[in-house]
Amino acid sequence: QGEPASARERGGSVACIHCLFFQAMQLHRVWELVLKWMLWTMHIILRILRRATRGFSYLTTPSHVELKKVPKSIGIAFDSELARTMDVVRVLQCCASYNLQDVLLYDIQGSMVKNHEAIALLFSKSHNGLVNLRVGSRTYAAAKGFIVKDDKRAESVGSIRVEFMSSEISNEIVTKELRKYCSNEGPTERKKPFHIGTKQGRHDTTDLLVTIGGHFSVKGFPSWLVGPAELGHIQSLEDINTDFARILRVYNESVQRHGA
């Protein structure tokens, strides 16, 4: 008679353990759902706060501002997924509206380099002056939606200079300049510091670097072109005019220390 009672007790203990395990699993699922709901709620609240902050910024920042000082050269680094032709043209139109005459466009994967002619022709349709372009070692010009012949490339009022850059082109430029520097045999040449010059119309360091993308970073923009540039960041192209005006207003009010 003792053995059946012992078996019943063991069976009851096993059933109790199974019951506790089942209850723990149910409790774990409940807490998992609660945590998911809390995280989702926090995500929504943060999105609302971010949009409210951006909306307040748009209300307090005019879409176009009068500036006493503008950068002589501006670099714009895109996230590759934002480097679409129409979006790039919109950014160039913003630059032209503030009479920025020296623009360097960069994305690390070279999406804009592949589509440079489409961007140039589309932008030139809306730009009154000549659009002078450089892609690596190639230079050409566009006006009113057409490629301009070499004998008609004279600088004109309202002309703008645009250079397309990628990590591949940057590496080619630096490698070429390093080989040239290392091959110098004269004592005068060897004493000169290494510098990537602008004899062929290539950009020197930019005065202002604007990065466009969800997270702030220089997007791989070549360090030899950054120098002591001021930095600006635009998260999206939803209201590029207002964001661009905000960055230029900050640049206008800043004091350039040139690395000091």
Side-chain angles (χ1 to χ4, degrees):
Q1 292 180 355
E3 291 182 358
S6 178
R8 284 196 299 270
E9 290 176 359
R10 287 196 299 270
S13 299
V14 171
C16 183
I17 292 172
H18 285 178
C19 182
L20 291 174
F21 179 76
F22 178 76
Q23 290 178 353
M25 289 295 296
Q26 291 295 323
L27 185 61
H28 172 74
R29 291 174 182 175
V30 170
W31 274 110
E32 186 177 7
L33 291 174
V34 171
L35 287 174
K36 286 182 177 180
W37 180 82
M38 291 175 63
L39 290 173
W40 179 81
T41 303
M42 291 176 62
H43 174 71
I44 295 298
I45 292 174
L46 289 174
R47 289 190 63 180
I48 292 173
L49 289 174
R50 187 173 67 178
R51 288 188 176 274
T53 303
R54 289 177 62 84
F56 178 77
S57 175
Y58 295 153
L59 291 174
T60 55
T61 303
S63 59
H64 196 283
V65 293
E66 296 296 329
L67 304 170
K68 296 181 180 179
K69 177 181 63 178
V70 294
K72 294 179 180 178
S73 175
I74 182 171
I76 302 175
F78 288 79
D79 271 349
S80 295
E81 59 269 19
L82 296 179
R84 295 180 289 269
T85 299
M86 285 301 302
D87 292 332
V88 177
V89 170
R90 288 171 58 201
V91 172
L92 285 174
Q93 289 170 342
C94 285
C95 294
S97 69
Y98 286 97
N99 197 30
L100 303 179
Q101 299 177 351
D102 199 352
V103 184
L104 192 152
L105 301 175
Y106 178 89
D107 75 287
I108 194 168
Q109 295 181 3
S111 301
M112 290 183 291
V113 171
K114 297 175 183 176
N115 300 320
H116 64 89
E117 282 196 7
I119 294 170
L121 294 178
L122 188 59
F123 171 61
S124 67
K125 290 181 180 180
S126 62
H127 185 62
N128 293 327
L130 188 69
V131 183
N132 295 296
L133 302 120
R134 171 179 284 274
V135 185
S137 59
R138 179 191 173 189
T139 59
Y140 66 103
K144 298 181 180 180
F146 297 96
I147 301 296
V148 177
K149 294 182 179 179
D150 291 343
D151 58 353
K152 295 183 179 180
R153 280 204 207 172
E155 293 288 337
S156 60
V157 177
S159 63
I160 184 172
R161 178 169 167 267
V162 180
E163 181 170 358
F164 294 88
M165 181 74 71
S166 65
S167 61
E168 182 179 355
I169 292 178
S170 175
N171 290 337
E172 290 175 357
I173 292 172
V174 174
T175 301
K176 181 179 178 180
E177 294 291 337
L178 277 172
R179 287 176 177 172
K180 181 180 177 181
Y181 178 79
C182 293
S183 64
N184 290 329
E185 297 179 357
T188 304
E189 288 78 4
R190 284 201 301 269
K191 291 181 180 179
K192 291 181 179 179
F194 175 69
H195 177 69
I196 301 176
T198 58
K199 293 180 180 179
Q200 299 178 351
R202 191 172 295 128
H203 277 76
D204 203 346
T205 55
T206 55
D207 296 321
L208 173 63
L209 172 60
V210 179
T211 65
I212 301 178
H215 302 284
F216 177 72
S217 74
V218 295
K219 315 297 181 189
F221 195 85
S223 58
W224 57 273
L225 287 170
V226 177
E230 299 292 317
L231 301 178
H233 178 228
I234 296 175
Q235 285 190 336
S236 71
L237 297 171
E238 293 178 2
D239 194 344
I240 182 63
N241 293 324
T242 302
D243 282 333
F244 208 77
R246 170 180 54 81
I247 288 174
L248 290 180
R249 187 179 64 177
V250 172
Y251 179 86
N252 180 62
E253 297 171 353
S254 65
V255 177
Q256 278 67 52
R257 302 180 184 277
H258 304 289

mmCIF file of all heavy atoms in Angstrom, residues 12-28:
data_model
loop_
_atom_site.group_PDB
_atom_site.id
_atom_site.type_symbol
_atom_site.label_atom_id
_atom_site.label_comp_id
_atom_site.label_asym_id
_atom_site.label_seq_id
_atom_site.Cartn_x
_atom_site.Cartn_y
_atom_site.Cartn_z
ATOM 1 N N GLY A 12 2.156 13.642 -8.211
ATOM 2 C CA GLY A 12 1.661 14.978 -7.858
ATOM 3 C C GLY A 12 2.769 16.012 -7.903
ATOM 4 O O GLY A 12 2.559 17.162 -8.322
ATOM 5 N N SER A 13 3.973 15.641 -7.495
ATOM 6 C CA SER A 13 5.103 16.583 -7.528
ATOM 7 C C SER A 13 5.454 16.959 -8.961
ATOM 8 O O SER A 13 5.703 18.135 -9.276
ATOM 9 C CB SER A 13 6.316 15.958 -6.842
ATOM 10 O OG SER A 13 6.022 15.672 -5.485
ATOM 11 N N VAL A 14 5.466 15.950 -9.845
ATOM 12 C CA VAL A 14 5.778 16.224 -11.261
ATOM 13 C C VAL A 14 4.725 17.145 -11.864
ATOM 14 O O VAL A 14 5.038 18.098 -12.590
ATOM 15 C CB VAL A 14 5.883 14.905 -12.046
ATOM 16 C CG1 VAL A 14 5.989 15.181 -13.540
ATOM 17 C CG2 VAL A 14 7.080 14.103 -11.570
ATOM 18 N N ALA A 15 3.464 16.874 -11.565
ATOM 19 C CA ALA A 15 2.378 17.710 -12.091
ATOM 20 C C ALA A 15 2.498 19.139 -11.571
ATOM 21 O O ALA A 15 2.252 20.113 -12.295
ATOM 22 C CB ALA A 15 1.029 17.123 -11.707
ATOM 23 N N CYS A 16 2.903 19.266 -10.294
ATOM 24 C CA CYS A 16 3.067 20.594 -9.707
ATOM 25 C C CYS A 16 4.193 21.358 -10.387
ATOM 26 O O CYS A 16 4.078 22.550 -10.679
ATOM 27 C CB CYS A 16 3.346 20.455 -8.218
ATOM 28 S SG CYS A 16 3.479 22.055 -7.357
ATOM 29 N N ILE A 17 5.290 20.627 -10.657
ATOM 30 C CA ILE A 17 6.421 21.257 -11.353
ATOM 31 C C ILE A 17 6.004 21.714 -12.745
ATOM 32 O O ILE A 17 6.328 22.814 -13.192
ATOM 33 C CB ILE A 17 7.614 20.283 -11.423
ATOM 34 C CG1 ILE A 17 8.177 20.052 -10.014
ATOM 35 C CG2 ILE A 17 8.697 20.820 -12.348
ATOM 36 C CD1 ILE A 17 9.221 18.974 -9.946
ATOM 37 N N HIS A 18 5.251 20.833 -13.480
ATOM 38 C CA HIS A 18 4.771 21.198 -14.813
ATOM 39 C C HIS A 18 3.877 22.422 -14.753
ATOM 40 O O HIS A 18 3.944 23.315 -15.616
ATOM 41 C CB HIS A 18 4.022 20.021 -15.418
ATOM 42 C CG HIS A 18 4.922 18.936 -15.894
ATOM 43 N ND1 HIS A 18 4.445 17.753 -16.442
ATOM 44 C CD2 HIS A 18 6.281 18.827 -15.897
ATOM 45 C CE1 HIS A 18 5.466 16.993 -16.771
ATOM 46 N NE2 HIS A 18 6.595 17.607 -16.437
ATOM 47 N N CYS A 19 3.038 22.473 -13.718
ATOM 48 C CA CYS A 19 2.125 23.604 -13.570
ATOM 49 C C CYS A 19 2.897 24.904 -13.324
ATOM 50 O O CYS A 19 2.598 25.943 -13.920
ATOM 51 C CB CYS A 19 1.162 23.334 -12.424
ATOM 52 S SG CYS A 19 -0.063 24.651 -12.174
ATOM 53 N N LEU A 20 3.914 24.833 -12.440
ATOM 54 C CA LEU A 20 4.724 26.015 -12.164
ATOM 55 C C LEU A 20 5.482 26.465 -13.404
ATOM 56 O O LEU A 20 5.607 27.665 -13.682
ATOM 57 C CB LEU A 20 5.713 25.711 -11.018
ATOM 58 C CG LEU A 20 5.086 25.526 -9.635
ATOM 59 C CD1 LEU A 20 6.164 25.093 -8.633
ATOM 60 C CD2 LEU A 20 4.444 26.838 -9.161
ATOM 61 N N PHE A 21 6.004 25.483 -14.164
ATOM 62 C CA PHE A 21 6.742 25.818 -15.394
ATOM 63 C C PHE A 21 5.819 26.490 -16.403
ATOM 64 O O PHE A 21 6.197 27.477 -17.041
ATOM 65 C CB PHE A 21 7.339 24.534 -15.987
ATOM 66 C CG PHE A 21 8.088 24.760 -17.267
ATOM 67 C CD1 PHE A 21 9.366 25.318 -17.258
ATOM 68 C CD2 PHE A 21 7.511 24.425 -18.481
ATOM 69 C CE1 PHE A 21 10.047 25.527 -18.435
ATOM 70 C CE2 PHE A 21 8.195 24.631 -19.664
ATOM 71 C CZ PHE A 21 9.469 25.177 -19.644
ATOM 72 N N PHE A 22 4.596 25.959 -16.519
ATOM 73 C CA PHE A 22 3.618 26.547 -17.449
ATOM 74 C C PHE A 22 3.266 27.973 -17.030
ATOM 75 O O PHE A 22 3.175 28.876 -17.869
ATOM 76 C CB PHE A 22 2.363 25.671 -17.480
ATOM 77 C CG PHE A 22 1.287 26.202 -18.369
ATOM 78 C CD1 PHE A 22 1.372 26.078 -19.755
ATOM 79 C CD2 PHE A 22 0.180 26.849 -17.817
ATOM 80 C CE1 PHE A 22 0.379 26.582 -20.565
ATOM 81 C CE2 PHE A 22 -0.810 27.359 -18.631
ATOM 82 C CZ PHE A 22 -0.717 27.223 -20.015
ATOM 83 N N GLN A 23 3.074 28.185 -15.723
ATOM 84 C CA GLN A 23 2.756 29.524 -15.235
ATOM 85 C C GLN A 23 3.919 30.506 -15.482
ATOM 86 O O GLN A 23 3.707 31.670 -15.840
ATOM 87 C CB GLN A 23 2.425 29.472 -13.747
ATOM 88 C CG GLN A 23 1.096 28.786 -13.442
ATOM 89 C CD GLN A 23 0.824 28.716 -11.949
ATOM 90 O OE1 GLN A 23 1.684 29.062 -11.140
ATOM 91 N NE2 GLN A 23 -0.362 28.245 -11.582
ATOM 92 N N ALA A 24 5.158 29.997 -15.303
ATOM 93 C CA ALA A 24 6.326 30.853 -15.552
ATOM 94 C C ALA A 24 6.410 31.245 -17.024
ATOM 95 O O ALA A 24 6.728 32.392 -17.363
ATOM 96 C CB ALA A 24 7.602 30.118 -15.116
ATOM 97 N N MET A 25 6.111 30.260 -17.906
ATOM 98 C CA MET A 25 6.129 30.558 -19.341
ATOM 99 C C MET A 25 5.067 31.589 -19.684
ATOM 100 O O MET A 25 5.304 32.513 -20.475
ATOM 101 C CB MET A 25 5.910 29.271 -20.139
ATOM 102 C CG MET A 25 7.093 28.311 -20.093
ATOM 103 S SD MET A 25 8.573 29.005 -20.885
ATOM 104 C CE MET A 25 7.993 29.152 -22.579
ATOM 105 N N GLN A 26 3.883 31.437 -19.106
ATOM 106 C CA GLN A 26 2.818 32.405 -19.367
ATOM 107 C C GLN A 26 3.201 33.790 -18.862
ATOM 108 O O GLN A 26 2.950 34.805 -19.530
ATOM 109 C CB GLN A 26 1.531 31.943 -18.677
ATOM 110 C CG GLN A 26 0.912 30.688 -19.282
ATOM 111 C CD GLN A 26 0.436 30.942 -20.711
ATOM 112 O OE1 GLN A 26 -0.059 32.011 -21.042
ATOM 113 N NE2 GLN A 26 0.611 29.945 -21.558
ATOM 114 N N LEU A 27 3.824 33.838 -17.664
ATOM 115 C CA LEU A 27 4.263 35.115 -17.111
ATOM 116 C C LEU A 27 5.341 35.755 -17.990
ATOM 117 O O LEU A 27 5.342 36.971 -18.214
ATOM 118 C CB LEU A 27 4.789 34.903 -15.687
ATOM 119 C CG LEU A 27 5.191 36.168 -14.911
ATOM 120 C CD1 LEU A 27 3.987 37.079 -14.739
ATOM 121 C CD2 LEU A 27 5.784 35.792 -13.560
ATOM 122 N N HIS A 28 6.248 34.915 -18.517
ATOM 123 C CA HIS A 28 7.306 35.417 -19.408
ATOM 124 C C HIS A 28 6.702 36.031 -20.675
ATOM 125 O O HIS A 28 7.134 37.109 -21.123
ATOM 126 C CB HIS A 28 8.257 34.276 -19.767
ATOM 127 C CG HIS A 28 9.261 34.647 -20.818
ATOM 128 N ND1 HIS A 28 10.338 35.461 -20.566
ATOM 129 C CD2 HIS A 28 9.331 34.317 -22.145
ATOM 130 C CE1 HIS A 28 11.030 35.620 -21.677
ATOM 131 N NE2 HIS A 28 10.444 34.933 -22.649
#
